[in-house]
Amino acid sequence: MKRRSFVKNMSLATFGIPFAFRNTQYEAIAQKLFNVPKSNEDRVLVLIRLNGGNDGLNTVVPLDGYDNLMIQRPNIIIPENDLIPVLGNNGFHPVMTGMASLMNDGKLSVIQNVGYPTQNRSHFRSMDIWTTGMMDPTVTTGWLGRNFEVDHPNYPDGYPNATYDDPFAISMGYELSATCQGTAANFSHSVVDPTDATSLPNTGGTNDGTYYGDHMEYIEGIIAQSNQYGQEISNSASLGNNLSTLYDANNPLAMQLKDVALMISGGLKTKVYILNVNGFDTHDSQVVNGATTTGEHADLMKRVSDAIYAFQDDIELLGLSDRVAGMTFSEFGRQIASNASEGTDHGDAAPLFLFGNCLDTTLYGNNPVIPGTVTDQAGLPMEIDFRDVYASILSSWFGVDQNTVQTLFEHNVTFHNIIGGCNLSNEEQTGTPSVGVSMVYPNPCSSQSTVKLDGDGRQVKIILFNAMGERINVIFEGKLERATHHIPFDMSNYSGGSYVVKILHADRTESISLMKL
């Protein structure tokens, strides 16, 4: 019985039933699961869902609105002196030392005020919108599921096969991610422990031509598929490795990310990994007895920050940092004003984090404006549509054609320059060391910025121009060895406005826009 025919006789929800694998490993990440340019084939996306609605205003605190925040949330606001200053006149929660360090190094980006029009404050409906990438409540496919389905319309019939022998996506834990739901099946497969895979038992059933026989044939096919994928995961984990010593064994998210790094380093050709952190519905006990740097939210953000920091350290040590990027998301933010229970209620927009070596920016969007008076349980208004973030990742990170990306969403997509600043193709195609696309961070900057670029052993000249095209400074001139270089330069003597950093290589010129605050 064809599995795509079988779906007509069953609820789509049936395909959310996970088969949990307990085993995985490495070889080389080269299998093509998207119809994309060669330079983007090896790229991996790690999605971390902050389940419950993260309080963005106590995560990334806009210091230019701090006085009004003090009025609106006096019982939970973090003392200004305890915040970690970061780019754009913001402060991170004091437990987020790891993520602050990554942002200072240009490896973490804050995308401000992310949401969608006419925010729904129901956990279930809002998460449906985030996972499908659609406002239409009748849509049941996920945004990644639709994208996979463009090139694999018959899935799961005939998968895995000799060409596509690894899972398209992996959901860490027992629950399959709705982001990967396709028309007939979910493109993700659940993994609990990649070092201890077990095979699902064969039912031994046969199709005797009856309705029951058809169902048994379908189940046999699902079990066979799951066992085949499980074996590939197993084989990869045994070949993989972890090099970072920063993982905390008591941090569940850190240990899941450690497994993700293990699978990637073991050569598993899976493109997307989805992880989940529960507990962000902080209506009460967000802080502990007025000690606003402690409490449930502090514990959650420390867990997330420490885990991402350890993971980034690991993939850099493993030499995978130009192939792996990550993103956090939550179904909504919290309201501007706190409640009387030392917590916050369901709100609207909130900041979103990207992390990795290949970011095009470290701060995108404006700081949220905090009014002195809040009425009607107001949340932060949306500035950037989350679906446009998805679309930009598909286009810039995975190299999916923008016309194809547009067909995956119901609204008119706006593409943002937020990710994709690494070029992976040169070494693979020519055998010469890869020279990545350069970046400037922080951008916007205040007093200092840094040029990040890959040297190739030849001469490089870096020049700063003003908005009128006038050369105002030579930042660097000389030969750069084959390595990634970070070259700082001073902007304190220049007025606020737009600038251009030009990087003159032996065989090409790059121009990067820079904003001075």
Side-chain angles (χ1 to χ4, degrees):
M1 181 180 187
K2 289 282 189 181
R3 278 173 276 181
R4 293 183 65 85
S5 301
F6 183 82
V7 73
K8 298 176 182 178
N9 299 320
M10 300 181 68
S11 166
L12 272 175
T14 304
F15 294 95
I17 299 172
F19 292 101
F21 303 136
R22 297 179 176 272
N23 214 347
T24 16
Q25 267 173 12
Y26 190 18
E27 205 170 71
I29 312 169
Q31 184 165 328
K32 190 170 184 178
L33 299 183
F34 293 100
N35 182 20
V36 299
K38 183 174 178 58
S39 59
N40 302 74
E41 286 178 15
D42 289 352
R43 292 184 172 180
V44 175
L45 178 66
V46 178
L47 296 175
I48 302 176
R49 170 182 168 180
L50 309 181
N51 189 28
N54 179 43
D55 182 12
L57 286 174
N58 260 25
T59 302
V60 182
V61 182
L63 299 180
D64 48 2
Y66 188 86
D67 290 344
N68 284 343
L69 278 176
M70 179 68 79
I71 297 171
Q72 301 303 330
R73 40 174 64 197
N75 57 341
I76 66 166
I77 193 168
I78 299 166
E80 188 170 4
N81 290 339
D82 289 331
L83 295 168
I84 305 173
V86 293
L87 180 68
N89 201 19
N90 289 296
F92 276 5
H93 195 295
V95 301
M96 296 170 58
T97 54
M99 292 177 77
S101 177
L102 290 178
M103 189 171 189
N104 290 334
D105 289 341
K107 299 173 184 176
L108 183 132
S109 176
V110 175
I111 315 297
Q112 294 279 36
N113 309 313
V114 181
Y116 56 86
T118 317
Q119 175 73 47
N120 190 301
R121 292 183 175 180
S122 160
H123 290 294
F124 304 106
R125 179 66 194 125
S126 191
M127 188 51 73
D128 282 347
I129 292 170
W130 274 81
T131 54
T132 63
M134 292 283 199
M135 302 295 292
D136 183 350
T138 66
V139 175
T140 58
T141 55
W143 66 281
L144 282 170
R146 291 194 300 277
N147 184 64
F148 283 122
E149 212 159 52
V150 169
D151 296 310
H152 306 277
N154 294 321
Y155 184 86
D157 288 339
Y159 293 84
N161 53 48
T163 305
Y164 304 105
D165 52 350
D166 289 350
F168 289 79
I170 282 178
S171 298
M172 298 301 295
Y174 289 101
E175 181 181 354
L176 295 180
S177 172
T179 61
C180 299
Q181 181 64 47
T183 302
N186 196 298
F187 279 88
S188 74
H189 291 261
S190 64
V191 171
V192 177
D193 180 359
T195 65
D196 183 24
T198 57
S199 295
L200 295 166
N202 191 291
T203 63
T206 57
N207 188 350
D208 56 5
T210 64
Y211 182 75
Y212 173 81
D214 279 353
H215 282 61
M216 291 305 298
E217 181 186 23
Y218 170 78
I219 293 172
E220 286 289 325
I222 286 289
I223 290 174
Q225 180 193 59
S226 299
N227 285 339
Q228 284 180 267
Y229 281 140
Q231 187 59 55
E232 292 300 317
I233 294 170
S234 268
N235 294 340
S236 295
S238 65
L239 294 174
N241 198 8
N242 294 112
L243 297 179
S244 178
T245 61
L246 301 180
Y247 292 110
D248 180 359
N250 296 313
N251 182 337
L253 178 62
M255 299 314 291
Q256 284 191 333
L257 284 172
K258 184 178 181 180
D259 285 340
V260 170
L262 182 74
M263 287 184 272
I264 298 171
S265 73
L268 197 69
K269 295 177 280 288
T270 294
K271 304 298 294 181
V272 179
Y273 295 82
I274 305 102
L275 301 88
N276 186 62
V277 184
N278 291 316
F280 283 89
D281 195 19
T282 51
H283 289 283
D284 54 49
S285 302
Q286 183 167 323
V287 301
V288 176
N289 298 325
T292 58
T293 61
T294 64
E296 290 182 7
H297 190 249
D299 293 342
L300 288 165
M301 288 315 304
K302 178 173 174 56
R303 184 188 309 170
V304 172
S305 177
D306 290 353
I308 290 175
Y309 186 66
F311 177 73
Q312 185 66 27
D313 180 62
D314 204 10
I315 62 171
E316 288 183 14
L317 293 172
L318 290 164
L320 299 168
S321 54
D322 286 350
R323 288 191 167 101
V324 181
M327 183 181 83
T328 69
F329 71 101
S330 196
E331 64 262 42
F332 43 63
R334 315 299 288 187
Q335 293 175 22
I336 297 172
S338 60
N339 59 34
S341 302
E342 294 189 322
T344 49
D345 299 322
H346 300 180
D348 302 328
L352 175 153
F353 294 105
L354 297 176
F355 57 91
N357 275 18
C358 301
L359 307 179
D360 285 337
T361 179
T362 47
L363 180 66
Y364 198 85
N366 300 306
N367 278 8
V369 176
I370 310 301
T373 301
V374 173
T375 58
D376 299 326
Q377 299 179 313
L380 295 175
M382 178 203 79
E383 178 186 0
I384 297 171
D385 195 308
F386 80 95
R387 296 168 294 178
D388 293 337
V389 176
Y390 288 170
S392 301
I393 288 173
L394 289 173
S395 172
S396 298
W397 184 241
F398 285 124
V400 182
D401 179 76
Q402 289 190 356
N403 292 326
T404 300
V405 173
Q406 179 62 73
T407 66
L408 305 177
F409 299 97
E410 61 195 338
H411 73 301
N412 188 24
V413 167
T414 298
F415 293 95
H416 299 285
N417 295 323
I418 53 177
I419 195 170
C422 291
N423 183 351
L424 307 180
S425 63
N426 191 49
E427 184 171 4
E428 294 165 357
Q429 293 180 335
T430 68
T432 59
S434 176
V435 177
V437 177
S438 307
M439 67 178 291
V440 175
Y441 71 90
N443 187 5
C445 70
S446 53
S447 60
Q448 189 177 59
S449 192
T450 299
V451 178
K452 175 189 172 186
L453 75 164
D454 291 340
D456 62 1
R458 293 184 288 179
Q459 192 83 3
V460 172
K461 189 173 185 178
I462 306 173
I463 308 171
L464 181 68
F465 292 85
N466 63 19
M468 303 297 295
E470 300 169 334
R471 188 173 79 171
I472 59 175
N473 185 28
V474 176
I475 296 171
F476 175 84
E477 186 171 12
K479 289 185 177 180
L480 290 177
E481 63 181 2
R482 297 184 187 278
T484 299
H485 300 265
H486 298 259
I487 302 173
F489 60 98
D490 187 20
M491 292 289 292
S492 59
N493 293 327
Y494 305 123
S495 59
S498 299
Y499 295 84
V500 174
V501 176
K502 284 197 174 182
I503 306 171
L504 283 67
H505 299 272
D507 56 355
R508 72 192 192 284
T509 298
E510 297 178 87
S511 295
I512 303 172
S513 298
L514 171 65
M515 178 65 68
K516 165 72 186 298
L517 297 174

